[in-house]
Amino acid sequence: MSSPIDLRSDTVTRPTAAMLTAMSAAEVGDDVLGEDPTVARLQSKAAAMFGMQAGIFCPSGTMTNQIAIRLHTRPGDEVICADLAHIYLYEGGGIAANSGASVRLLPGDRGRFTADAVRAAINKRNDSHLPWTRLVAIENTVNKGGGACWDLAELQRIRAVCDEQGLALHLDGARLFNALVAKGQDPKAFGQLFDTISICLSKGLGAPVGSLLLGSGEHIERAHRLRKLFGGGMRQAGYLAAAGLHALEHHVQRLAVDHQMAQAAAAHLAQQRWVAELLPVETNLVIFRLQPGMRAETVLAHFAAHGIKASTMGPDLVRFVFHLDVPADAVARIASALAVFES
Ligand SMILES: *Cc1c(COP(=O)(O)O)cnc(C)c1O
């Protein structure tokens, strides 16, 4: 029996032998006291990559996003984000619970909206009925948009609107490295545009734990207090930071392999008459909609019987995620499973 293929998420990866070696060799200290040299190295390396002043290592991307929202808002303020945004859909109502902020959802093209839409959604300051619009949050790549990548020019226009209206701009970059590799973009171009950026080390980069929030020295100093408040201060976290450093050094360029596999799998799916819609594949995510009457659970069960695990994004939506633990023969095995599927 060949090894199972787990396409449920890029969070299922396990540390490689080389990553484990780097972790066990880490020099550590108490990071809550600011004494862990490996955490400090990771934070400054990531900040430098993006041309930002500082960074803070946190247990999860949910925490880095939620700290950022709290940094930029006060209770009663409003956050503008896409209707597909992870911060809105998948963080447990944290915008309300952690920051007391309200949300203005923007429809868009697979989670991407325009600067004009942002401008139209900003509440008038001089009307005391309205919540104060304080923050715009972007997600790149868009998870629920099938890994869609933003156009840098539109982000520049959104930055200009934020500057003109005094709004902060946050980037949920859980899969930002996928976008950078797919589009050949420079991380510093993103560092210039955003007040804060959250990046995940535990998605396609393959670290077991960890995310970073990047921003100005002042924002990150305040973020230290918020991380403690949220229960995210970690002690000898250098063992985990070492995994993150290893990932940034060795697992970024190889994301292109995941993108190629996603394209190849999508080409097979496009030929199935029971696949009603396939979202354009730009990075490592493949999302497809089934023809009316078919259920995602049925398709999942068929793939599971062939040793392939996938996940659903709705009753008729299936998602495949490619990552560094997907074996080289995965696309061929997906094709074999498709060949014997009877809808
Ligand atoms: C995974 C993810 C996060 C953070 O998730 P954690 O599991 O909390 O690390 C944030 N945003 C997006 C778009 C994600 O896919």
Side-chain angles (χ1 to χ4, degrees):
M1 178 71 188
S2 41
S3 58
I5 300 173
D6 196 342
L7 305 178
R8 287 173 302 164
S9 174
D10 42 11
T11 54
V12 300
T13 58
R14 297 193 185 130
T16 60
M19 184 180 274
L20 284 170
T21 302
M23 291 169 75
S24 63
E27 198 188 330
V28 300
D30 187 333
D31 184 55
V32 173
L33 304 180
E35 292 175 0
D36 191 299
T38 310
V39 171
R41 209 146 55 78
L42 172 65
Q43 291 170 164
S44 52
K45 181 187 173 77
M49 273 174 110
F50 286 85
M52 299 181 91
Q53 286 176 358
I56 181 170
F57 185 50
C58 292
S60 71
T62 297
M63 187 178 285
T64 48
N65 280 332
Q66 292 298 320
I67 288 175
I69 293 162
R70 179 74 169 258
L71 278 174
H72 298 303
T73 61
R74 294 186 194 178
D77 285 348
E78 193 153 274
V79 178
I80 295 177
C81 65
D83 53 3
L84 303 185
H86 191 280
I87 58 167
Y88 174 72
L89 292 174
Y90 301 128
E91 298 187 7
I95 300 175
N98 297 320
S99 297
S102 75
V103 183
R104 177 76 67 95
L105 296 178
L106 297 184
D109 170 22
R110 291 186 290 134
R112 296 165 301 181
F113 44 80
T114 63
D116 288 342
V118 171
R119 189 188 296 281
I122 299 169
N123 290 330
K124 281 202 198 73
R125 292 279 160 85
N126 59 7
D127 184 338
S128 59
H129 296 83
L130 307 175
W132 191 308
T133 308
R134 194 78 71 170
L135 170 67
V136 177
I138 303 285
E139 184 174 314
N140 193 28
T141 69
V142 186
N143 175 15
K144 215 172 178 183
C149 300
W150 281 74
D151 174 21
L152 207 52
E154 197 61 48
L155 293 175
Q156 283 159 348
R157 286 190 281 274
I158 291 173
R159 176 76 259 180
V161 170
C162 290
D163 286 343
E164 182 194 302
Q165 302 287 327
L167 309 183
L169 186 59
H170 171 69
L171 175 58
D172 174 357
R175 295 190 181 83
L176 181 56
F177 284 102
N178 293 90
L180 295 175
V181 168
K183 301 288 166 198
Q185 290 162 331
D186 178 2
K188 293 197 174 66
F190 284 81
Q192 267 171 20
L193 288 178
F194 290 90
D195 295 287
T196 46
I197 297 182
S198 160
I199 56 171
C200 285
L201 303 164
S202 59
K203 295 270 166 85
L205 296 186
V209 178
S211 288
L212 285 149
L213 182 67
L214 309 175
S216 68
E218 198 183 320
H219 276 137
I220 299 307
E221 199 180 308
R222 286 178 55 213
H224 272 274
R225 179 170 288 273
L226 291 170
R227 185 182 66 177
K228 194 74 187 130
L229 174 68
F230 289 175
M234 298 184 285
R235 303 296 179 173
Q236 285 70 37
Y239 293 116
L240 301 172
L245 279 164
H246 182 87
L248 288 178
E249 279 155 19
H250 301 283
H251 292 169
V252 174
Q253 292 313 318
R254 65 149 308 285
L255 291 169
V257 175
D258 303 339
H259 301 168
Q260 284 154 13
M261 272 206 197
Q263 292 283 352
H268 287 291
L269 287 163
Q271 288 167 13
Q272 311 302 315
R273 59 181 167 69
W274 47 270
V275 173
E277 184 195 358
L278 183 63
L279 296 192
V281 176
E282 297 184 46
T283 52
N284 65 326
L285 308 185
V286 180
I287 296 182
F288 54 99
R289 189 182 301 283
L290 309 174
Q291 70 181 16
M294 257 178 88
R295 293 187 48 77
E297 298 301 338
T298 315
V299 176
L300 252 49
H302 174 77
F303 279 110
H306 288 78
I308 299 164
K309 293 182 187 173
S311 62
T312 63
M313 291 294 270
D316 63 347
L317 282 177
V318 178
R319 186 181 75 161
F320 286 176
V321 186
F322 291 85
H323 52 76
L324 79 174
D325 281 3
V326 174
D329 65 351
V331 174
R333 286 169 60 192
I334 290 166
S336 313
L338 287 171
V340 295
F341 182 64
E342 286 165 27
S343 57

